[in-house]
């Protein structure tokens, strides 16, 4: 229904130029041309300058600031990137009246979603932000907005699950920490990363679902066949089968187990396969099981094509020890009878021991009946300490390929493993704990050399001090403040989450890892409860976030190209 409000007398509107009219929260620019009177929003959708200062020619309004052009009749943008809202106008007894009625949400929402997708296709971050805010303004829940981003990004992800989807997942979770209009900030960040990652990508060809009963005889046989197809790199067959499992009655638990079995058959992609599996199920929890095919199916190519680290020299010594031990994982799963763990000794084995010592610490603890969650807790603490020891100078040295991202995955992988074990405490998932122990041990070669002294705690009750130290690029100060923080937990988590969600990194890949590491640190710190050392994941994340980081790798790529042309191969790092 129309809502006509009186604006100004027609004679008060100059024949050339416009006039501003304000009604409640609306600021409307009025224009007069030989064809009549027109009304648009005063704020230009480009950068927000006043349209009333623009020029009108042939019923086209040109913004004075950067030349965007809008048809006065309907607000359509004839040059630039986005239409401006136009308002119906009528003249009653010489008085201009404007219909300020907002369209119903059911009408506006699809239009805004379409605009959002168009903006993602153009990597138009300003418009992504505006549409997100408009959607939030009409009461659209943030998971629904992220769902549209996922529907855009998932089918375009070239090799299946990738950082764009992980970032959307993490950003949606981080949004819960923000209040007011800025609550959408992490979601905008996630949508921006997703649009940058998928820009101009065509849809990934996807095999049609395959009926597992027709192909394998039964649902159970189809489920059993899935990990074997993945292992054999039959990517299309594996994805077709996976997509066909739900229609044959596979439950969420069965689908998850099939994926986790394939994920832990190897140590895949530097831990990413496990991390992405965790994110995929978290994402579905937020945006709805109806998106299962969109979200889960792209995991299959990611897992199938994932680099198998257990086939590389890095893991050889650890794996040889593991094989020689001939552990019965099924019996270890059922053992967990409360064996006592020497936490510091366990962490020392992972942090300072040889591969064999790290294996023995874990295998011995499991055989002694130590509960798996207790071991995940200690592995998490060890991973956090590993981040605390990382040699920051290494990251800034272009002559080597190692950097922060090689060590942050120890924490994010352990967090993903905690999730996997919580939903599927099986022998297959237990393999992932051995991978985590190796991971923490192996990344020890990235520690700073010489004795490492953690900064002394710096007492504060204000979590903003932590935030300031992070954005001020003061890693030691950030760690000292986290360790000396005496306020409630939540503001500290918000400080770390906010620092990750704002623009303190540039490259999309770095944004993906800042939000991923911050999110994992928050979850891990909560999981460790109030025990001593429970802050370790947060201080580790703060150190990572605060550190100056290499974000472009052109120089490094050039150096590698030189070595390539000289025919030099890369070797292993010492101590593998
Ligand atoms: S603000 Fe209008 S074109 Fe830039």
């Amino acid at each position: 229904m129309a809502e006509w409000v009186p604006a100004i007398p027609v004679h008060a509107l100059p024949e050339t130029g416009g006039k501003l009219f304000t009604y409640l929260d609306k600021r409307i620019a009025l224009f007069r041309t030989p064809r009549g009177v027109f009304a648009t929003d005063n704020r230009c959708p480009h950068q927000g300058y006043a349209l009333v200062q623009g020029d009108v020619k042939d019923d086209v309004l040109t913004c004075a600031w950067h030349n965007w052009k809008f048809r006065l009749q309907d607000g359509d943008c004839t040059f630039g990137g986005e239409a401006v809202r136009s308002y119906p106008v009528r003249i009653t007894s010489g008085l201009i009246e404007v219909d300020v009625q907002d369209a119903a949400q059911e009408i506006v929402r699809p239009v805004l979603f379409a605009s959002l997708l168009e903006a993602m296709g153009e990597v138009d971050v300003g418009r992504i932000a505006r549409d997100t805010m408009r959607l939030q303004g009409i009461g659209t829940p943030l998971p629904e907005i992220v769902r549209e981003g996922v529907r855009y990004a998932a089918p375009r992800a070239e090799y299946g699950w990738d950082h764009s989807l992980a970032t959307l997942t993490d950003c949606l979770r981080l949004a819960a920490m923000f209040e007011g209009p800025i609550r959408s900030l992490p979601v905008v960040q996630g949508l921006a990363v997703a649009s940058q990652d998928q820009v101009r990508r065509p849809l990934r060809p996807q095999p049609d679902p395959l009926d597992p009963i027709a192909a394998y005889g039964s649902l159970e046989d189809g489920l059993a066949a899935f990990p074997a197809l993945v292992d054999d790199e039959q990517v299309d067959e594996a994805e077709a089968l996976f997509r066909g499992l739900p229609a044959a009655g596979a439950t969420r638990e069965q689908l998850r187990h099939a994926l986790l079995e394939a994920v832990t058959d190897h140590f895949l992609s530097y831990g990413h396969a496990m991390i992405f599996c965790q994110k995929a199920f978290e994402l579905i929890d937020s945006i709805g099981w109806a998106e299962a095919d969109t979200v889960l199916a792209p995991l299959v190519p990611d897992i199938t094509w994932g680099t198998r680290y257990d086939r590389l020299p890095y893991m050889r010594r650890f794996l040889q020890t593991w094989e020689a031990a001939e552990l019965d994982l099924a019996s270890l799963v059922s053992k967990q009878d409360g064996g006592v763990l020497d936490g510091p000794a366990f962490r020392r084995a992972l942090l300072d021991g040889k591969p064999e010592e790290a294996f023995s610490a874990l295998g011995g603890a499991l055989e002694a009946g130590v509960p798996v969650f207790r071991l995940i807790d200690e592995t998490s603490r060890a991973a956090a300490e590993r981040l605390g020891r990382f040699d920051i100078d290494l990251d800034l040295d272009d002559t080597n390929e190692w950097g922060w991202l090689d060590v942050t995955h120890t924490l994010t992988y352990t967090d993903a493993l905690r999730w996997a074990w919580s939903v599927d405490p099986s022998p297959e998932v237990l393999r992932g704990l051995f991978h985590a122990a190796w991971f923490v041990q192996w990344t020890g070669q990235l520690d700073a050399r010489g004795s490492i002294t953690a900064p002394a705690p710096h007492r504060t009750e204000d979590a903003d001090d932590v935030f300031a130290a992070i954005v001020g690029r003061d890693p030691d100060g950030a760690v000292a403040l986290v360790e000396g923080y005496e306020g409630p937990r939540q503001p500290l988590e918000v400080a770390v989450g906010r620092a990750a969600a704002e623009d303190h990194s540039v490259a999309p890949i770095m944004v993906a890892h800042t939000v991923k590491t911050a999110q994992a640190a928050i979850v891990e710190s909560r999981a460790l409860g109030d025990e001593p050392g429970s802050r370790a994941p947060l201080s580790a994340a703060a150190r990572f976030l605060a550190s100056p980081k290499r974000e472009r790798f052109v120089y490094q790529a050039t150096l590698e190209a030189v070595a390539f042309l000289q025919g030099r191969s890369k070797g292993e790092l010492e101590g593998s």
Side-chain angles (χ1 to χ4, degrees):
M1 198 151 106
E3 184 185 351
W4 293 101
V5 297
I8 56 173
V10 179
H11 65 75
L13 191 57
E15 294 210 359
T16 55
K19 205 159 184 74
L20 183 65
F21 158 61
T22 304
Y23 178 75
L24 300 178
D25 62 344
K26 291 187 164 51
R27 299 174 73 74
I28 297 170
L30 298 170
F31 300 95
R32 189 166 156 197
T33 80
R35 270 161 293 282
V37 174
F38 300 94
T40 70
D41 269 338
N42 187 44
R43 192 183 158 90
C44 178
H46 178 223
Q47 287 187 3
Y49 289 100
L51 284 174
V52 76
Q53 294 170 10
D55 296 321
V56 175
K57 186 179 167 198
D58 297 334
D59 289 355
V60 171
L61 166 66
T62 297
C63 178
W65 301 90
H66 312 100
N67 225 26
W68 280 27
K69 296 182 189 300
F70 307 94
R71 221 162 45 197
L72 282 174
Q73 188 188 0
D74 53 12
D76 248 26
C77 184
T78 60
F79 176 77
E82 185 181 344
V84 68
R85 177 178 175 180
S86 67
Y87 296 81
V89 169
R90 71 183 182 192
I91 297 173
T92 308
S93 304
L95 188 66
I96 299 170
E97 293 182 330
V98 180
D99 177 7
V100 295
Q101 181 64 53
D102 294 325
Q105 290 179 12
E106 316 83 75
I107 295 171
V108 174
R109 190 169 283 122
V111 174
L112 290 177
F113 274 135
S115 174
L116 176 65
L117 294 183
E118 209 177 293
M120 288 186 74
E122 297 296 324
V123 197
D124 185 340
V125 175
R127 189 170 169 191
I128 289 171
R130 286 191 294 277
D131 286 334
T132 302
M133 290 299 176
R134 287 170 181 141
L135 283 159
Q136 188 187 353
I138 60 168
T140 312
L142 291 181
E144 282 186 28
I145 301 173
V146 168
R147 188 172 62 203
E148 289 303 310
V150 169
R151 286 174 177 168
Y152 174 85
R156 289 174 169 79
E158 191 175 4
Y159 301 110
W161 247 79
D162 63 9
H163 285 108
S164 70
L165 298 167
T167 307
L168 280 167
T169 310
D170 287 324
C171 285
L172 180 56
R173 295 192 78 184
L174 287 176
M177 295 182 162
F178 289 72
E179 288 178 359
I182 204 70
R183 183 153 201 212
S184 295
L185 164 67
V187 168
V188 175
Q189 188 71 268
L191 294 168
V193 166
S195 69
Q196 282 175 283
D197 277 357
Q198 312 300 350
V199 63
R200 311 269 187 265
R201 283 238 174 98
L203 300 180
R204 177 176 67 85
Q206 223 181 354
D208 291 332
L210 175 79
D211 178 2
I213 297 171
Y216 293 95
S218 71
L219 172 61
E220 287 65 32
D221 287 337
L223 285 162
F226 174 72
L229 290 174
V230 171
D231 197 47
D232 200 30
E233 294 193 8
Q234 296 189 52
V235 65
D236 285 343
E237 292 79 356
E239 187 171 0
L241 170 59
F242 187 83
R243 295 189 72 198
L245 290 169
T251 64
R252 176 193 181 108
E253 289 70 26
Q254 286 173 315
L255 293 173
R256 191 172 55 209
H257 182 76
L259 288 166
L260 285 172
E261 183 173 346
V263 163
T264 55
D265 267 341
H266 299 276
F267 182 59
L268 287 172
S269 306
Y270 214 71
H272 282 97
M274 174 71 90
I275 294 166
F276 289 166
C277 199
Q278 170 200 23
K279 307 285 177 207
F281 281 92
E282 285 177 357
L283 188 57
I284 293 178
D285 285 344
S286 299
I287 68 174
W289 184 248
E291 303 299 320
D293 186 56
T294 307
V295 172
L296 296 183
L299 284 169
V300 179
D302 172 69
I303 294 169
T304 308
W305 283 320
T307 302
R308 299 168 182 193
Y309 267 73
D310 49 320
R311 299 257 170 92
L312 297 177
Y314 310 127
M315 290 185 79
R316 190 175 298 142
R317 281 172 58 184
F318 187 92
L319 290 177
Q320 282 171 347
T321 316
W322 187 357
E323 277 162 25
E326 296 183 350
L327 295 180
D328 179 351
L329 294 182
S331 78
L332 293 179
V333 167
S334 55
K335 200 160 187 178
Q336 301 188 72
D337 51 14
V340 176
L341 181 71
D342 180 344
F346 180 82
R347 293 201 301 276
R348 264 198 311 279
L350 268 55
L351 286 163
D352 301 315
K354 303 275 184 225
E356 298 80 2
E357 292 164 327
F359 173 80
S360 297
L362 176 58
L366 286 166
E367 287 186 311
V370 176
V372 172
F373 273 126
R374 174 87 179 87
L375 290 163
I376 293 174
D377 287 350
E378 287 304 333
T379 306
S380 175
R381 282 196 183 89
E385 188 169 342
R386 185 61 86 216
L387 267 68
R389 293 182 181 192
F390 173 69
D391 183 356
I392 293 173
D393 291 340
L394 204 57
D395 188 276
L396 300 175
D397 174 7
D398 286 292
T399 61
N400 80 84
E401 64 182 323
W402 305 100
W404 260 115
L405 302 193
D406 295 296
V407 72
T408 58
H409 290 92
T410 58
L411 186 64
T412 50
Y413 179 80
T414 305
D415 180 55
L417 178 71
R418 182 188 296 283
W419 163 81
W421 184 255
S422 71
V423 296
D424 186 0
S426 61
E428 290 77 19
V429 170
L430 187 58
R431 297 181 296 195
L433 184 53
F434 285 90
H435 296 152
W438 167 79
F439 207 6
V440 176
Q441 187 277 331
W442 182 75
T443 45
Q445 57 208 301
L446 308 179
D447 283 359
R449 298 290 165 220
S451 65
I452 301 153
T453 314
H458 183 147
R459 193 182 161 281
T460 182
E461 292 180 357
D462 188 353
D464 284 348
D465 292 343
V466 174
F467 178 80
I470 294 174
V471 301
R473 293 285 193 248
D474 178 4
D476 283 351
V479 170
L481 286 161
V482 172
E483 292 299 331
Y485 177 72
E486 294 180 349
R489 176 187 289 272
Q490 204 245 358
L492 181 60
E493 293 179 356
V494 170
V496 172
R498 193 178 137 210
E502 290 186 0
D503 283 334
H504 307 295
S505 292
V506 178
I509 188 70
M510 198 55 77
V511 178
H513 286 86
T514 57
V515 295
K516 183 167 73 173
T517 305
Q519 178 60 35
I522 290 165
V523 172
E524 287 305 299
S525 178
R526 284 183 195 163
L528 298 178
D530 296 321
E531 290 177 37
S534 66
R535 290 254 181 91
L538 287 174
S539 60
R543 184 171 188 257
F544 164 59
L545 294 173
S547 295
K549 289 177 280 293
R550 204 173 359 153
E551 299 207 13
R552 285 176 62 78
F553 300 91
V554 176
Y555 179 37
Q556 183 193 320
T558 307
L559 294 177
E560 289 193 1
V562 170
F564 176 80
L565 290 179
Q566 291 170 345
R568 287 191 274 128
S569 311
K570 288 182 186 171
E572 319 172 15
L573 281 181
E574 207 180 313
S576 62

